Amino acid sequence: MSDFIRLDGRNTSIVLELSEDGLPVWRHWGAKVSVGAGAGPWSTGVPVPTFSLDVNQPLRLFPLFGNGWMGPSALQCHRGGTAWMPGRASCEIELGPHDLKCRVSDHSMGIVLDHSLSLDPETDVLTLATRLTNAGRDILDVSWLAAGALPLAPHAQTVESFSGRHNSEFVPVADKLSRSAWRRENRRGLTSHDCPPLASVLGANAGPNEGQVWAAQLAWSGNHFQAIDWHDDGRWIWMAGEWLAPGEVRLQPGETLSSPEWLATFSPNGRDGVAQNFHAELRKRSPLWRSGKLKPRPVHINTWEGFYFRHNEPDLKLLADTAAGLGVERFVLDDGWFRGRDDDTSSLGDWTPDPDKYPNGLKPLADHVTRLGMEFGLWVEPEMINPDSDLFRAHPDWVLGAEQDRPLTARNQLVLDLTREDVRGHLFGALDKLLSDLPISYLKWDHNRDLTAAVSAGRAAYRRQVLGAYELIDRLRAAHPDVEIEACAGGGGRIDAGILSRTHRVWTSDCLDAVSRTEMHRQFLRYFPPEVMGAHVGASPSHATGRSQSLSFRAASALPGHFGLELDPRQLLEGDLRKIRDWIAFYKSIRQQVHAGRVWQGEAGDGVVWMAFGTPQAFVLVIYRITPIQMRYPPVLRLPFVAPEATYGLTRIDPSAPFSGNHDQVAFRAPGDKLLQSGSWLREVGLALPFLRAESCLVLEARQS
Ligand code: DGJ
């Protein structure tokens, strides 16, 4: 029997073998296994192929190209063109109950690699990270350092990731794994709409609620690279880490480079299983859950789509009055409040209230809002600057790429150089003043462009820019620990586990179309928990798509997330105002259950999708019909997660009107309607649904009786 290292979770194991040279070799990441007495060393189980190396090269914990390993490399570096190939290395291992620390010192390369792997036994999430130290005497140029390398079983089949753009986030992409490598590379300088740093790999027959799924996401808000490569023994090798620009990392002797953390998980229970693992892990890392308990997510009103740049204090006070009357709990003043900001061509950087719109500053409005019992929130975009701003006129050298001929603008703006301490200090001062002078309890922190010439003092600065932004947020949070922060980037351009460990919610998308949003939410929830998913009821027709939807459907689509309004209620008919009030009250009645439990999702077919929130004993079931019915009878809805031996009482709880038409013979015609059903029936046969109109929603509460 060889020397194995194993870490076990609830439903997963990782197994490594200590090879003769002392370096750990990957044997397994996936389903929970026991290592039988017959499990010998990898080298004895694999015959040496003809015309090959005389000794097989195993997949090491951190594979390095050269000297026998011809697969993908987890590190690429050199010292003026030399010392790029690994030589004899020594390895020290420290094994805890749930984690492994492994220090590899390679003397010929002059480097030390510190790998850490820690498997949380409650969440089943494995956190990997690597730190590289330049232990040599001269500069080490690094072009790639993976956070880790993971083996995927030969029965892994399909990799699912996202594409997207502003107004169309979380567009699912599925690729079959093959002998060709799978690659996703983000060079936009922040998390991005079109290539967020995450993916799921599905085994044969895996689906929403069943089958083996491996998934991983980087806790990083900048450039990234991830790849899955075929391995000669039929497995695949998955790596992820930061994408580095030429010359971006040149380590001086003694300097280190730390990879972002890579959160990886396996579940035998399909996409839902990995989603639940990620939700549990991100909750542990989130400032929202610091006390162990989630403060109920307050209902927002955000001024953006209702007012855009047309701020006017009396109108906004009226908006606050109406919002408070509807049950809104937080008023967020979006873009347009600061000096000279009448459209998106100017003023970013000048963070003082516009004297024409707010002759006495923001205090009168903020006080008005707080007197009404609501929290006051403010929009800022600290990392940005317009060339037409006093800040730019005073400090043209403060922008990234200042030394370029013409740094490219996007949305008319440039990016401040956050690698500079004086720039960060200035921004901290401006934000700290706002937070100290005004009763602000919430910041919506925006970032509305990709980075192009991220150059500081002639060197690529993508990585240092992200670290600068993190440092600024951390410093502000330390100075104002009670202020919540929302991360936004032209909608959902900065949604990742890195930003979520320091902010309290993210803005999912500027698209408030309820059909588009329902699909986005379904995809979002595969990686991130519902309580951080900003979701607002917008106007109809939708500003993003031009489609019109009923108020109830718009409200229902925002229901699972952190709920809010983003419209001018003065434009609404009296009936719709009443409906909004009802939906807000309804959201409040279910938010704790929706935001603190587990999430399951599925499709009943024929245009019906569902989400369930809570526990298998008690849950809220949200059922959407997206498209018109095509089948003669409505599809039944199977709930594969309920306890088969239990009996469930189901009650319709949404505040919509009773369904009209020939519905007498089916359950859930009107709110309050009940049904008793066995768990095994719900799992295997399914729940009979009423006829739902296209773009409508039914919400049930289910409890074991
Ligand atoms: C982009 C955001 O996604 C919007 O919600 C809004 O805050 C605008 N920026 C303001 O410029």
Side-chain angles (χ1 to χ4, degrees):
M1 170 109 173
S2 328
D3 227 353
F4 288 111
I5 299 172
R6 57 178 302 156
L7 298 174
D8 290 310
R10 276 177 301 115
N11 288 315
T12 185
S13 303
I14 69 167
V15 184
L16 292 145
E17 173 190 331
L18 270 189
S19 59
E20 275 168 23
D21 60 11
L23 296 178
V25 168
W26 268 116
R27 298 299 299 268
H28 174 72
W29 170 47
K32 201 157 185 171
V33 291
S34 57
V35 183
W42 180 83
S43 54
T44 59
V46 183
V48 175
T50 50
F51 286 78
S52 292
L53 295 174
D54 292 330
V55 178
N56 283 326
Q57 300 298 307
L59 169 58
R60 297 194 188 283
L61 174 64
F62 201 74
L64 299 187
F65 173 71
N67 210 9
W69 176 252
M70 290 167 238
S73 190
L75 170 70
Q76 278 167 12
C77 62
H78 66 92
R79 226 176 262 288
T82 68
W84 55 272
M85 183 186 281
R88 194 172 286 282
S90 62
C91 177
E92 295 157 50
I93 287 191
E94 222 182 282
L95 187 61
H98 306 300
D99 57 350
L100 166 71
K101 291 194 176 15
C102 170
R103 164 167 287 199
V104 176
S105 308
D106 188 307
H107 305 292
S108 52
M109 292 176 82
I111 60 167
V112 176
L113 286 162
D114 285 293
H115 308 297
S116 67
L117 286 83
S118 120
L119 179 60
D120 187 315
E122 285 167 14
T123 67
D124 269 359
V125 171
L126 173 70
T127 300
L128 302 105
T130 296
R131 190 179 64 207
L132 166 69
T133 305
N134 179 4
R137 289 211 197 90
D138 34 31
I139 290 178
L140 185 73
D141 279 297
V142 186
S143 57
W144 165 237
L145 174 71
L150 285 166
L152 286 164
H155 57 277
Q157 276 194 348
T158 308
V159 53
E160 296 182 336
S161 59
F162 295 127
S163 171
R165 62 186 288 275
H166 175 238
N167 274 337
S168 179
E169 287 82 348
F170 294 99
V171 176
V173 177
D175 298 297
K176 276 259 167 274
L177 286 178
S178 73
R179 294 278 181 125
S180 306
W182 177 87
R183 299 251 181 288
R184 293 303 306 267
E185 222 169 299
N186 166 40
R187 292 169 241 101
R188 292 181 182 277
L190 81 164
T191 317
S192 87
H193 298 80
D194 62 336
C195 189
L198 45 78
S200 295
V201 178
L202 276 65
N205 305 323
N209 330 101
E210 68 289 302
Q212 298 199 336
V213 180
W214 299 258
Q217 52 177 312
L218 266 187
W220 182 242
S221 313
N223 290 332
H224 84 273
F225 174 79
Q226 56 170 336
I228 301 178
D229 283 87
W230 163 260
H231 183 37
D232 281 324
D233 65 3
R235 292 182 292 176
W236 277 272
I237 305 168
W238 191 358
M239 290 188 199
E242 196 183 343
W243 181 91
L244 297 172
E248 184 158 15
V249 176
R250 310 196 74 206
L251 296 180
Q252 298 291 335
E255 272 188 353
T256 60
L257 169 67
S258 295
S259 76
E261 287 186 324
W262 193 28
L263 316 183
T265 194
F266 165 84
S267 174
N269 302 318
R271 296 190 191 98
D272 281 350
V274 299
Q276 290 168 9
N277 294 349
F278 279 141
H279 295 182
E281 177 69 25
L282 294 184
R283 283 172 178 161
K284 283 191 161 180
R285 294 164 172 257
S286 160
L288 266 183
W289 290 83
R290 223 49 8 125
S291 66
K293 197 164 179 294
L294 180 74
K295 182 175 144 204
R297 300 293 72 217
V299 177
H300 280 199
I301 186 145
N302 178 294
T303 58
W304 181 238
E305 287 209 353
F307 290 78
Y308 290 111
F309 299 100
R310 300 182 301 272
H311 288 211
N312 143 339
E313 196 180 306
D315 280 354
L316 289 167
K317 283 183 173 165
L318 270 179
L319 174 71
D321 295 340
T322 314
L326 292 172
V328 169
E329 297 160 309
R330 185 183 275 158
F331 179 103
V332 182
L333 189 67
D334 210 284
D335 197 354
W337 61 267
F338 46 100
R339 213 161 70 237
R341 183 73 166 174
D342 294 328
D343 54 33
D344 66 8
T345 60
S346 78
S347 305
L348 290 172
D350 299 341
W351 300 114
T352 54
D354 184 86
D356 295 332
K357 297 175 189 171
Y358 299 99
N360 298 309
L362 289 180
K363 192 135 190 348
L365 177 63
D367 285 345
H368 184 81
V369 165
T370 52
R371 265 199 302 274
L372 287 164
M374 294 185 292
E375 294 180 21
F376 183 71
L378 193 64
W379 178 94
V380 287
E381 196 178 357
E383 292 139 282
M384 298 295 153
I385 182 165
N386 284 118
D388 182 4
S389 66
D390 292 343
L391 187 67
F392 186 81
R393 283 181 280 275
H395 300 283
D397 58 323
W398 275 12
V399 300
L400 273 180
E403 60 265 52
Q404 309 293 114
D405 266 355
R406 265 190 319 144
L408 294 172
T409 52
R411 206 190 186 213
N412 309 304
Q413 58 202 55
L414 296 170
V415 185
L416 282 167
D417 182 349
L418 264 69
T419 71
R420 291 176 60 143
E421 215 174 316
D422 52 352
V423 174
R424 292 198 304 273
H426 168 83
L427 290 175
F428 176 80
L431 295 168
D432 180 59
K433 180 162 171 39
L434 284 167
L435 294 179
S436 308
D437 290 355
L438 295 165
I440 296 173
S441 40
Y442 186 82
L443 281 182
K444 178 176 173 187
W445 186 302
D446 214 338
H447 182 302
N448 283 310
R449 61 160 293 173
D450 297 331
L451 306 191
T452 46
V455 179
S456 179
R459 296 270 308 279
Y462 296 91
R463 164 186 176 70
R464 286 180 291 145
Q465 179 74 5
V466 176
L467 295 176
Y470 282 173
E471 197 218 60
L472 180 60
I473 297 174
D474 292 346
R475 186 170 167 204
L476 212 68
R477 289 211 37 238
H480 301 274
D482 296 330
V483 172
E484 288 196 8
I485 300 181
E486 167 176 20
C488 172
R494 185 150 62 179
I495 301 178
D496 62 81
I499 203 75
L500 277 169
S501 65
R502 30 181 66 83
T503 56
H504 302 75
R505 85 168 204 170
V506 286
W507 183 227
T508 314
S509 174
D510 278 351
C511 177
L512 303 183
D513 177 303
V515 170
S516 311
R517 265 304 187 110
T518 303
E519 182 54 23
M520 272 183 222
H521 293 168
R522 282 162 37 80
Q523 302 301 335
F524 179 105
L525 291 172
R526 292 176 56 186
Y527 295 89
F528 308 107
E531 63 273 19
V532 301
M533 180 171 77
H536 292 172
V537 182
S540 181
S542 151
H543 294 194
T545 66
R547 284 196 286 207
S548 297
Q549 289 128 0
S550 71
L551 191 116
S552 291
F553 186 58
R554 282 178 277 150
S557 102
L559 201 60
H562 181 174
F563 188 92
L565 308 179
E566 190 165 330
L567 40 73
D568 181 355
R570 291 174 306 179
Q571 317 280 334
L572 294 178
L573 302 170
E574 181 50 38
D576 275 352
L577 272 179
R578 191 174 28 76
K579 282 186 194 157
I580 285 198
R581 197 174 296 121
D582 292 348
W583 278 96
I584 288 177
F586 178 56
Y587 162 77
K588 289 179 180 170
S589 73
I590 62 168
R591 62 185 160 188
Q592 284 299 74
Q593 196 172 3
V594 170
H595 291 164
R598 289 156 70 186
V599 179
W600 295 267
Q601 303 198 54
E603 298 182 13
D606 193 27
V608 174
V609 298
W610 58 270
M611 301 170 181
F613 303 89
T615 64
Q617 292 75 40
F619 54 92
V620 172
L621 178 63
V622 184
I623 303 163
Y624 299 103
R625 170 168 282 291
I626 308 293
T627 50
I629 186 164
Q630 292 185 334
M631 304 192 320
R632 185 168 296 274
Y633 308 115
V636 285
L637 191 153
R638 287 178 55 238
L639 296 174
F641 63 92
V642 299
E645 68 289 352
T647 300
Y648 287 84
L650 297 116
T651 311
R652 179 171 167 198
I653 54 171
D654 60 77
S656 311
F659 301 127
S660 53
N662 183 18
H663 278 289
D664 293 349
Q665 71 281 32
V666 291
F668 312 127
R669 200 186 69 81
D673 281 1
K674 290 183 188 320
L675 183 77
L676 212 59
Q677 194 72 270
S678 78
S680 58
W681 189 270
L682 290 172
R683 281 175 76 106
E684 305 302 335
V685 182
L687 193 64
L689 296 177
F691 281 112
L692 294 170
R693 296 175 70 85
E695 298 177 8
S696 68
C697 175
L698 174 69
V699 186
L700 307 179
E701 182 186 59
R703 278 186 191 285
Q704 279 186 10
S705 57

